[in-house]
Amino acid sequence: MRDLFAAEEGDALPLAPGAVLLRDFALAAAPELLLAVVGVTAEAPWRHLETPGGFGMSVAMTNCGALGWVSDRTGYRYDATDPLRGKPWPALPDAFREMAHDAAAAAGYGGFVPDACLVNRYEPGARLSLHQDRDEHDYGAPIVSVSLGLPVTFLFGGAARVDKSRRVSLVHGDVVVWGGPSRLHHHAVLPLADGEHPATGRCRINLTFRKAG
Ligand code: SIN
Ligand code: FE2
Protein backbone atom coordinates (compact mmCIF):
# COMPACT_ATOMS: atom_id res chain seq x y z
CA MET A 1 0.00 0.00 0.00
CA ARG A 2 1.25 3.43 -0.83
CA ASP A 3 1.51 6.08 1.82
CA LEU A 4 -1.59 8.30 1.75
CA PHE A 5 0.54 11.39 1.41
CA ALA A 6 2.99 10.04 -1.15
CA ALA A 7 2.90 11.03 -4.79
CA GLU A 8 -0.32 10.22 -6.62
CA GLU A 9 -0.41 7.62 -9.32
CA GLY A 10 1.24 8.86 -12.50
CA ASP A 11 3.09 11.64 -10.73
CA ALA A 12 6.51 12.80 -11.75
CA LEU A 13 8.62 13.35 -8.66
CA PRO A 14 11.80 15.38 -9.23
CA LEU A 15 14.89 13.81 -7.62
CA ALA A 16 17.48 16.32 -8.86
CA PRO A 17 17.80 18.66 -11.85
CA GLY A 18 17.37 16.34 -14.86
CA ALA A 19 16.25 13.37 -12.72
CA VAL A 20 12.69 12.27 -12.16
CA LEU A 21 10.76 9.38 -10.65
CA LEU A 22 7.75 8.45 -12.79
CA ARG A 23 5.41 6.62 -10.43
CA ASP A 24 3.63 3.63 -12.02
CA PHE A 25 4.82 4.53 -15.52
CA ALA A 26 5.55 0.87 -16.37
CA LEU A 27 2.66 -0.66 -14.41
CA ALA A 28 0.42 -1.42 -17.41
CA ALA A 29 3.31 -2.80 -19.47
CA ALA A 30 4.77 -4.85 -16.61
CA PRO A 31 3.35 -8.25 -17.63
CA GLU A 32 4.68 -7.82 -21.17
CA LEU A 33 8.06 -6.62 -19.90
CA LEU A 34 8.37 -9.60 -17.54
CA LEU A 35 7.47 -12.01 -20.32
CA ALA A 36 10.24 -10.47 -22.40
CA VAL A 37 12.67 -10.90 -19.48
CA VAL A 38 11.87 -14.63 -19.50
CA GLY A 39 12.70 -14.70 -23.22
CA VAL A 40 15.97 -12.82 -22.75
CA THR A 41 17.14 -15.00 -19.85
CA ALA A 42 16.26 -18.19 -21.73
CA GLU A 43 18.89 -17.10 -24.25
CA ALA A 44 21.40 -15.22 -22.07
CA PRO A 45 21.11 -16.66 -18.55
CA TRP A 46 21.44 -14.82 -15.26
CA ARG A 47 24.98 -14.70 -13.90
CA HIS A 48 26.78 -13.15 -10.95
CA LEU A 49 29.60 -11.08 -12.43
CA GLU A 50 32.95 -10.68 -10.75
CA THR A 51 34.14 -7.18 -9.84
CA PRO A 52 37.64 -6.03 -10.84
CA GLY A 53 38.53 -6.47 -7.15
CA GLY A 54 37.57 -10.14 -7.31
CA PHE A 55 34.24 -10.09 -5.48
CA GLY A 56 31.08 -11.76 -6.79
CA MET A 57 28.24 -9.26 -7.27
CA SER A 58 25.12 -10.03 -5.22
CA VAL A 59 22.88 -8.88 -8.08
CA ALA A 60 22.42 -11.42 -10.90
CA MET A 61 22.68 -9.79 -14.33
CA THR A 62 22.22 -10.28 -18.02
CA ASN A 63 21.75 -7.96 -21.00
CA CYS A 64 19.93 -7.47 -24.25
CA GLY A 65 20.53 -5.08 -27.11
CA ALA A 66 23.54 -4.44 -29.32
CA LEU A 67 25.78 -3.94 -26.28
CA GLY A 68 25.85 -5.47 -22.82
CA TRP A 69 27.48 -4.28 -19.61
CA VAL A 70 29.98 -6.73 -18.18
CA SER A 71 32.47 -6.81 -15.33
CA ASP A 72 35.42 -9.10 -14.72
CA ARG A 73 38.92 -8.99 -13.25
CA THR A 74 40.02 -6.65 -16.07
CA GLY A 75 37.37 -4.00 -15.33
CA TYR A 76 33.94 -2.82 -16.46
CA ARG A 77 33.00 -2.45 -20.12
CA TYR A 78 30.30 -2.76 -22.73
CA ASP A 79 30.69 -5.75 -25.00
CA ALA A 80 28.77 -6.74 -28.13
CA THR A 81 29.46 -10.37 -27.24
CA ASP A 82 28.12 -12.22 -24.20
CA PRO A 83 31.34 -13.60 -22.68
CA LEU A 84 29.43 -16.53 -21.16
CA ARG A 85 28.15 -17.81 -24.50
CA GLY A 86 30.54 -16.22 -26.97
CA LYS A 87 27.53 -14.88 -28.90
CA PRO A 88 25.76 -11.53 -29.36
CA TRP A 89 23.27 -10.53 -26.67
CA PRO A 90 19.57 -11.17 -27.37
CA ALA A 91 17.87 -8.41 -29.35
CA LEU A 92 16.16 -5.61 -27.45
CA PRO A 93 12.47 -6.63 -27.28
CA ASP A 94 10.10 -4.08 -28.85
CA ALA A 95 8.29 -3.64 -25.52
CA PHE A 96 11.63 -2.67 -23.94
CA ARG A 97 12.48 -0.17 -26.66
CA GLU A 98 9.05 1.46 -26.45
CA MET A 99 9.07 1.70 -22.66
CA ALA A 100 12.54 3.25 -22.65
CA HIS A 101 11.62 5.74 -25.34
CA ASP A 102 8.29 6.74 -23.80
CA ALA A 103 9.62 7.08 -20.24
CA ALA A 104 12.55 9.20 -21.45
CA ALA A 105 10.12 11.41 -23.39
CA ALA A 106 7.87 11.77 -20.32
CA ALA A 107 10.94 12.91 -18.37
CA GLY A 108 11.79 15.49 -21.03
CA TYR A 109 14.33 13.50 -23.06
CA GLY A 110 12.83 13.13 -26.53
CA GLY A 111 14.18 10.70 -29.14
CA PHE A 112 15.89 8.26 -26.75
CA VAL A 113 17.03 5.17 -28.64
CA PRO A 114 18.79 2.74 -26.27
CA ASP A 115 21.35 0.28 -27.58
CA ALA A 116 21.83 -1.57 -24.29
CA CYS A 117 19.61 -2.91 -21.52
CA LEU A 118 21.19 -4.23 -18.35
CA VAL A 119 18.76 -6.60 -16.68
CA ASN A 120 19.29 -6.95 -12.93
CA ARG A 121 17.77 -9.51 -10.59
CA TYR A 122 17.84 -8.78 -6.85
CA GLU A 123 17.10 -11.61 -4.46
CA PRO A 124 16.71 -10.92 -0.73
CA GLY A 125 19.92 -9.31 0.55
CA ALA A 126 21.20 -8.30 -2.90
CA ARG A 127 22.34 -4.70 -3.19
CA LEU A 128 24.24 -2.31 -5.41
CA SER A 129 26.76 -0.02 -3.77
CA LEU A 130 27.07 3.69 -4.59
CA HIS A 131 28.28 4.17 -8.18
CA GLN A 132 27.99 6.28 -11.32
CA ASP A 133 26.93 4.92 -14.71
CA ARG A 134 29.93 6.15 -16.67
CA ASP A 135 31.00 3.31 -18.95
CA GLU A 136 28.76 4.62 -21.75
CA HIS A 137 30.27 6.66 -24.57
CA ASP A 138 27.32 9.00 -24.83
CA TYR A 139 26.49 11.02 -21.71
CA GLY A 140 24.08 13.08 -23.81
CA ALA A 141 21.49 10.32 -23.48
CA PRO A 142 19.67 9.62 -20.20
CA ILE A 143 19.49 6.42 -18.17
CA VAL A 144 16.03 4.89 -17.89
CA SER A 145 15.52 2.48 -14.99
CA VAL A 146 12.39 0.32 -14.66
CA SER A 147 11.50 -1.42 -11.36
CA LEU A 148 9.48 -4.64 -11.31
CA GLY A 149 8.52 -6.91 -8.42
CA LEU A 150 9.57 -6.42 -4.80
CA PRO A 151 10.06 -2.87 -3.51
CA VAL A 152 13.47 -1.52 -2.68
CA THR A 153 15.09 1.62 -1.30
CA PHE A 154 16.96 3.59 -3.96
CA LEU A 155 19.45 6.32 -3.13
CA PHE A 156 19.97 9.11 -5.63
CA GLY A 157 22.95 11.29 -4.78
CA GLY A 158 24.93 13.99 -6.48
CA ALA A 159 27.89 14.50 -8.77
CA ALA A 160 30.32 13.94 -5.91
CA ARG A 161 30.39 10.67 -4.00
CA VAL A 162 29.97 12.46 -0.68
CA ASP A 163 26.97 14.52 -1.78
CA LYS A 164 23.77 13.97 0.18
CA SER A 165 21.42 11.34 -1.29
CA ARG A 166 17.67 11.41 -1.77
CA ARG A 167 16.11 8.18 -0.51
CA VAL A 168 13.07 6.86 -2.36
CA SER A 169 11.16 3.62 -2.31
CA LEU A 170 10.81 2.08 -5.77
CA VAL A 171 7.89 -0.27 -6.28
CA HIS A 172 6.58 -2.44 -9.10
CA GLY A 173 5.99 -0.26 -12.18
CA ASP A 174 8.05 2.75 -11.11
CA VAL A 175 10.52 4.28 -13.57
CA VAL A 176 13.45 6.56 -12.76
CA VAL A 177 15.04 8.65 -15.50
CA TRP A 178 18.24 10.66 -15.04
CA GLY A 179 20.19 12.63 -17.60
CA GLY A 180 21.45 16.09 -18.47
CA PRO A 181 22.83 17.75 -15.33
CA SER A 182 22.34 14.57 -13.24
CA ARG A 183 23.54 12.06 -15.82
CA LEU A 184 26.64 11.20 -13.79
CA HIS A 185 25.04 11.39 -10.37
CA HIS A 186 25.82 8.64 -7.88
CA HIS A 187 23.15 6.11 -6.98
CA ALA A 188 22.76 2.94 -4.95
CA VAL A 189 20.27 0.21 -4.12
CA LEU A 190 19.93 -0.88 -0.47
CA PRO A 191 19.74 -4.60 0.35
CA LEU A 192 16.46 -6.10 -0.85
CA ALA A 193 14.13 -7.09 1.98
CA ASP A 194 12.62 -10.54 1.81
CA GLY A 195 9.12 -10.78 0.44
CA GLU A 196 6.91 -12.26 -2.21
CA HIS A 197 5.52 -10.31 -5.15
CA PRO A 198 2.66 -11.64 -7.30
CA ALA A 199 4.43 -10.62 -10.52
CA THR A 200 7.98 -11.80 -9.82
CA GLY A 201 7.97 -14.02 -6.75
CA ARG A 202 10.82 -13.54 -4.30
CA CYS A 203 12.83 -10.98 -6.24
CA ARG A 204 13.05 -7.56 -7.82
CA ILE A 205 13.83 -7.16 -11.50
CA ASN A 206 15.33 -3.91 -12.76
CA LEU A 207 15.83 -2.89 -16.38
CA THR A 208 18.26 -0.08 -17.08
CA PHE A 209 18.31 1.29 -20.58
CA ARG A 210 21.37 3.07 -21.84
CA LYS A 211 22.85 4.55 -24.98
CA ALA A 212 26.23 2.93 -24.52
CA GLY A 213 27.86 3.03 -27.95
C1 SIN B 1 21.73 0.32 -11.69
O1 SIN B 1 22.18 1.27 -11.09
O2 SIN B 1 22.26 -0.16 -12.69
C2 SIN B 1 20.46 -0.36 -11.20
C3 SIN B 1 19.57 0.51 -10.40
C4 SIN B 1 18.41 -0.24 -9.83
O3 SIN B 1 18.45 -1.49 -9.69
O4 SIN B 1 17.39 0.40 -9.48
FE1 FE2 C 1 23.70 2.37 -12.08
Side-chain angles (χ1 to χ4, degrees):
M1 271 296 266
R2 258 203 232 303
D3 185 82
L4 269 179
F5 303 103
E8 294 290 327
E9 184 171 317
D11 264 3
L13 191 79
L15 296 178
V20 67
L21 162 54
L22 305 170
R23 284 279 184 216
D24 295 339
F25 195 88
L27 197 53
E32 197 185 352
L33 297 174
L34 285 168
L35 207 61
V37 170
V38 172
V40 166
T41 56
E43 225 184 302
W46 299 112
R47 78 286 306 266
H48 292 273
L49 298 172
E50 194 178 7
T51 66
F55 295 99
M57 295 185 70
S58 61
V59 180
M61 297 176 171
T62 188
N63 292 277
C64 55
L67 294 167
W69 186 85
V70 291
S71 171
D72 60 22
R73 292 304 286 255
T74 69
Y76 308 124
R77 66 180 182 281
Y78 280 92
D79 204 319
T81 301
D82 175 357
L84 192 68
R85 300 175 303 127
K87 290 182 188 169
W89 299 100
L92 204 65
D94 288 341
F96 279 25
R97 194 189 321 278
E98 278 167 36
M99 174 53 55
H101 175 273
D102 294 354
Y109 300 99
F112 179 50
V113 181
D115 58 10
C117 176
L118 173 63
V119 186
N120 294 315
R121 184 187 66 196
Y122 296 75
E123 290 184 309
R127 59 190 286 271
L128 209 55
S129 55
L130 197 68
H131 68 278
Q132 297 166 290
D133 291 358
R134 59 172 187 201
D135 301 320
E136 301 73 26
H137 283 121
D138 184 359
Y139 295 152
I143 302 283
V144 173
S145 168
V146 176
S147 291
L148 299 165
L150 287 176
V152 85
T153 300
F154 180 68
L155 303 184
F156 195 77
R161 209 179 158 76
V162 295
D163 288 346
K164 198 169 150 42
S165 289
R166 278 287 301 267
R167 171 184 289 249
V168 286
S169 174
L170 297 181
V171 306
H172 183 67
D174 286 348
V175 180
V176 182
V177 181
W178 63 94
S182 56
R183 174 60 183 75
L184 289 174
H185 279 205
H186 290 74
H187 53 282
V189 176
L190 297 192
L192 188 81
D194 203 354
E196 188 78 27
H197 193 280
T200 59
R202 207 176 165 209
C203 71
R204 167 181 186 257
I205 305 282
N206 168 260
L207 314 172
T208 49
F209 296 97
R210 299 113 189 277
K211 171 101 180 63

